[in-house]
Amino acid sequence: MPEPTVPELLELDRRHVWHPYGPMPGRQEPLVVESASGVRLRMADGSGELVDGMSSWWSAIHGYNHPVLNEAAREQLTRMSHVMFGGLTHEPAVRLAKLLVDMSPDGLEHVFLADSGSVSVEVAAKMCLQYWRSLGRPAKQRLLTWRGGYHGDTWQPMSVCDPEGGMHDLWTGVLPRQVFADPPPTEYEESYAEHLRELIGRHADELAAVIVEPVVQGAGGMRFHSSAYLRVLREACDAHGVLLVFDEIATGFGRTGALFAAEHAAVTPDVMCVGKALTGGYLTMAATLCTSRVADGISRGEVPVLAHGPTFMGNPLAAAVACASIELLLGQDWLAEVNRIEAGLREGLATAADLPGVTDVRVLGAIGVVQLDRALDDAAMKAATDAAVREGVWLRPFRDLIYTMPPYVSADADVARIARAVCAAAREG
Ligand SMILES: *Cc1c(COP(=O)(O)O)cnc(C)c1O
């Protein structure tokens, strides 16, 4: 079969391929990428390259086609791409678990390797519910979170995503009913801390865990909040016998200016999920870490095992690349790079605040957000994306948000270009 032309690919794509959060057949034509290198996507239609302002949904922190990650994948490929993880183990998975335990907040000792972020959140929920069941408290099976969150698209994660305006409000009434606090204010407010304490106390008998995204709520609305709330949650959970889960799938591996956002508050959760940047954006893998208290609790129960075991658990190829990505990150002054990007985004996005229809501009670490006074419909979304493409940048706005989280290897000129594209998208969207 001859290689299809770009129009042929697009026609087949439209007819057969479901895209994220999309209808079938698709309403909007995607761009076809031929290859990617560094921070640039090369387009198949011959139109040239786009600077990637999205890091492929927070994941490609070192950029594309990185020689070190390529070599790790190639080297592992010659040994084995995969073997089952039941009854077998291997060096890449063991080394990855050790790296994660060493780099994560003190007290997280055990690692469950999952195949995507959503699955790692499922595992976190299962761990917490099973912990209480093992301790003879089966009524503790609900989760508490604050509004405005996003934790993935499978069932338990959906139940703790923002119930309104999010991607899953269709399922209200079908999903497990969780306990929702108000969205966390940006700055610390004692009255909000009191609201969290009160809600956790009131529902303690039925709560297995509190689960939140620390410091940055990602796909639920790209909002930032005071890290002091994490301490409030830790103290309230301890006081009332509730486990604390941090979903660091978006925030992990340096994105917010700390290796993990939990470090902003020096808090250790009982369970922590990581994903997205774990493999530097190469392969799908996530992990759920927990403390010895959680693991011991589960192991004392009537069913003393964690009944979860994905087919591709611990995939050696993904684990080898994850190890290389983590070593690459820790082997450089990653904080200086994130701070450099933060400064570039602050400077480049400063003028966005004056644009008509812009209600807020916020930057934290290597994350820049421009919030509009309106949600973008299909036509406005296309206009915004096209405006960014004309600036030579790939952006994927959603709802009322034009945002970027560039790869950490983005040069200053590329960060400036991304910021110009965000402004252009905000103007024309
Ligand atoms: C992306 C994301 C998830 C889901 O991860 P997938 O790999 O897409 O399943 C969960 N939680 C947070 C905070 C995320 O950003």
Side-chain angles (χ1 to χ4, degrees):
M1 187 172 132
E3 234 178 81
T5 63
V6 169
E8 283 166 352
L9 271 181
L10 284 171
E11 175 50 28
L12 290 170
D13 183 281
R14 204 185 76 87
R15 206 178 317 150
H16 298 299
V17 185
W18 222 306
H19 282 269
Y21 309 106
M24 191 79 243
R27 273 198 304 271
Q28 293 202 358
E29 197 165 86
L31 305 180
V32 185
V33 181
E34 174 198 281
S35 62
S37 189
V39 300
R40 285 173 162 71
L41 310 175
R42 173 160 284 281
M43 312 320 289
D45 61 6
S47 63
E49 295 183 325
L50 295 178
V51 172
D52 181 15
M54 304 303 292
S55 296
S56 281
W57 275 335
W58 314 72
S59 64
I61 54 176
H62 307 298
Y64 301 95
N65 210 351
H66 194 287
V68 172
L69 303 189
N70 285 3
E71 184 49 35
R74 242 192 317 267
E75 212 271 332
Q76 184 56 42
L77 200 55
T78 62
R79 292 165 190 254
M80 59 190 169
S81 298
H82 185 66
V83 290
M84 64 185 285
F85 213 45
L88 301 175
T89 194
H90 44 77
E91 192 255 4
V94 175
R95 205 150 58 83
L96 176 58
K98 176 77 169 100
L99 279 170
L100 287 173
V101 166
D102 287 348
M103 76 191 295
S104 60
D106 283 346
L108 295 167
E109 294 286 334
H110 311 292
V111 181
F112 188 100
L113 295 171
D115 30 21
S116 75
S118 300
V119 172
S120 76
V121 174
E122 296 279 359
V123 170
K126 191 184 270 192
M127 279 180 179
C128 293
L129 268 66
Q130 193 173 338
Y131 172 84
W132 291 112
R133 186 171 280 263
S134 291
L135 266 63
R137 304 282 305 276
K140 286 170 74 68
Q141 51 175 263
R142 291 181 80 186
L143 303 173
L144 181 149
T145 187
W146 46 40
R147 284 176 188 267
Y150 175 80
H151 296 281
D153 296 336
T154 59
W155 216 241
Q156 279 286 349
M158 276 206 292
S159 76
V160 279
C161 289
D162 193 90
E164 279 162 36
M167 296 180 267
H168 304 312
D169 47 2
L170 180 65
W171 299 110
T172 314
V174 183
L175 292 168
R177 276 181 47 259
Q178 313 293 18
V179 181
F180 286 92
D182 295 339
T186 307
E187 304 297 335
Y188 185 81
E189 289 171 21
E190 185 52 31
S191 59
Y192 183 75
E194 200 43 51
H195 166 61
L196 290 175
R197 292 186 196 107
E198 190 277 327
L199 210 57
I200 293 170
R202 173 148 50 98
H203 292 277
D205 286 344
E206 52 175 357
L207 285 181
V210 170
I211 177 169
V212 297
E213 293 159 279
V215 180
V216 176
Q217 294 182 302
M222 302 297 297
R223 296 191 166 281
F224 312 149
H225 55 260
S226 164
S227 63
Y229 293 132
L230 305 179
R231 272 195 297 279
V232 172
L233 290 177
R234 181 69 278 178
E235 284 161 19
C237 283
D238 288 344
H240 295 286
V242 175
L243 295 172
L244 180 60
V245 181
F246 284 167
D247 177 347
E248 294 249 14
I249 291 168
T251 50
F253 306 101
R255 182 58 66 179
T256 70
L259 214 38
F260 296 100
E263 292 174 12
H264 289 296
V267 162
T268 297
D270 301 290
V271 177
M272 183 172 101
C273 298
V274 296
K276 289 200 160 91
L278 175 62
T279 65
Y282 266 51
L283 290 145
T284 178
M285 178 172 264
T288 312
L289 284 74
C290 74
T291 59
S292 293
R293 174 189 163 205
V294 172
D296 292 349
I298 290 170
S299 306
R300 277 201 305 270
E302 66 187 286
V303 179
V305 298
L306 187 68
H308 211 99
T311 305
F312 289 102
M313 184 165 177
N315 178 254
L317 210 46
V321 176
C323 289
S325 176
I326 290 170
E327 282 164 356
L328 195 57
L329 183 69
L330 300 182
Q332 61 174 300
D333 190 353
W334 61 267
L335 182 55
E337 300 304 322
V338 170
N339 286 340
R340 178 180 62 77
I341 292 169
E342 175 169 343
L345 290 176
R346 274 191 205 289
E347 192 187 326
L349 295 180
T351 55
D354 303 327
L355 294 173
V358 169
T359 57
D360 190 36
V361 177
R362 44 189 186 267
V363 174
L364 176 70
I367 308 168
V369 185
V370 170
Q371 180 139 14
L372 307 175
D373 60 1
R374 62 199 180 274
L376 300 178
D377 60 17
D378 279 0
M381 173 89 144
K382 176 156 170 39
T385 310
D386 288 351
V389 167
R390 280 196 297 276
E391 296 287 335
V393 174
W394 170 243
L395 295 176
R396 180 78 176 158
F398 75 99
R399 275 158 50 188
D400 54 351
L401 299 162
I402 320 272
Y403 71 109
T404 177
M405 50 273 165
Y408 303 166
V409 294
S410 305
D412 290 344
D414 288 329
V415 176
R417 179 190 279 243
I418 289 169
R420 278 201 302 278
V422 170
C423 293
R427 218 177 300 116
E428 295 182 38

